[in-house]
Amino acid sequence: TKGYIGQQLLLDYVIYTRENIASYDFLNQPDDDGFYIQPITDFQQSAQKKVINGKQYYSQVIARQVLFPQKTGEYTVGPINMRVNIPIDNNSSFFFRDVRPVTIKSNALKINIAALPEPQPVDYCGIVGDIKPTASIQKGTVNKGQAIVLNLKIEGNGDPKTTKAPKFDVPEGLESY
């Protein structure tokens, strides 16, 4: 519910049900005002049993998106409308099941996005989130006049579009290109 500009926020759509669901379909998508939204399509999560107020439900993440905040302020994500198809117990065939369509609505989610703290360090490279930078060079020794190639790899969960190459001091006697 809180984040910073450029920070990766994970949004899961979780459905709680006591009935079997044959299929579902999103009828609308969240308003992307203030966010760059990237859907995640390659995740698998099985249903989990949960007890709420003494009743057993099955819960499952049915969709996942990554939100990258682009500006400060308070934003409301949702509500999202969905149509779920609930199988009807009758003598329908295995391939052609009769279903009862039901429209459901998610709750709205308020998210507060803050500016990055000021003043920003001189060596700040624009990334927000948990990152792991690693650096390597191609050769450990070189002759005078040969190039030294520095490779920088940044892994993590920030917004790569806001990342700039970090500035670093070049030792005396070397030039950077």
Side-chain angles (χ1 to χ4, degrees), residues 82-107:
M82 291 181 64
R83 181 178 43 248
V84 295
N85 293 315
I86 300 171
I88 298 172
D89 289 331
N90 61 15
N91 293 331
S92 58
S93 74
F94 178 76
F95 293 105
F96 301 101
R97 298 173 76 181
D98 290 333
V99 295
R100 175 175 48 101
V102 176
T103 300
I104 60 175
K105 183 180 191 178
S106 76
N107 59 313

Side-chain angles (χ1 to χ4, degrees):
T1 60
K2 294 181 182 179
Y4 291 96
I5 291 177
Q7 181 180 7
Q8 175 179 305
L9 304 174
L10 191 62
L11 176 62
D12 283 342
Y13 294 93
V14 182
I15 193 166
Y16 292 83
T17 183
R18 296 181 68 188
E19 299 191 42
N20 289 329
I21 295 177
S23 63
Y24 58 87
D25 187 30
F26 286 93
L27 300 176
N28 67 310
Q29 293 296 318
D31 184 10
D32 63 354
D33 182 40
F35 296 96
Y36 170 71
I37 300 175
Q38 179 69 44
I40 298 176
T41 57
D42 61 345
F43 78 96
Q44 295 284 330
Q45 188 172 37
S46 58
Q48 306 290 318
K49 289 182 184 179
K50 298 218 176 181
V51 176
I52 301 171
N53 295 331
K55 293 182 181 178
Q56 183 171 305
Y57 292 85
Y58 288 95
S59 71
Q60 185 170 9
V61 176
I62 57 171
R64 180 170 284 164
Q65 294 177 329
V66 180
L67 308 178
F68 294 104
Q70 304 296 303
K71 50 188 177 176
T72 61
E74 181 178 270
Y75 297 93
T76 302
V77 176
I80 302 299
N81 296 305
M82 291 181 64
R83 181 178 43 248
V84 295
N85 293 315
I86 300 171
I88 298 172
D89 289 331
N90 61 15
N91 293 331
S92 58
S93 74
F94 178 76
F95 293 105
F96 301 101
R97 298 173 76 181
D98 290 333
V99 295
R100 175 175 48 101
V102 176
T103 300
I104 60 175
K105 183 180 191 178
S106 76
N107 59 313
L109 177 65
K110 290 198 179 299
I111 303 174
N112 288 300
I113 303 302
L116 295 174
E118 293 287 341
Q120 293 177 357
V122 177
D123 60 351
Y124 177 64
C125 64
I127 196 163
V128 179
D130 295 326
I131 62 166
K132 179 185 168 193
T134 55
S136 63
I137 55 174
Q138 288 179 340
K139 297 185 209 175
T141 58
V142 294
N143 295 323
K144 184 177 179 179
Q146 282 186 311
I148 301 171
V149 178
L150 173 66
N151 292 307
L152 178 62
K153 181 178 180 181
I154 300 174
E155 292 181 288
N157 65 4
D159 185 356
K161 293 178 298 314
T162 62
T163 305
K164 301 175 283 198
K167 295 178 181 163
F168 57 92
D169 294 328
V170 177
E172 192 172 319
L174 298 178
E175 297 176 28
S176 66
Y177 297 97

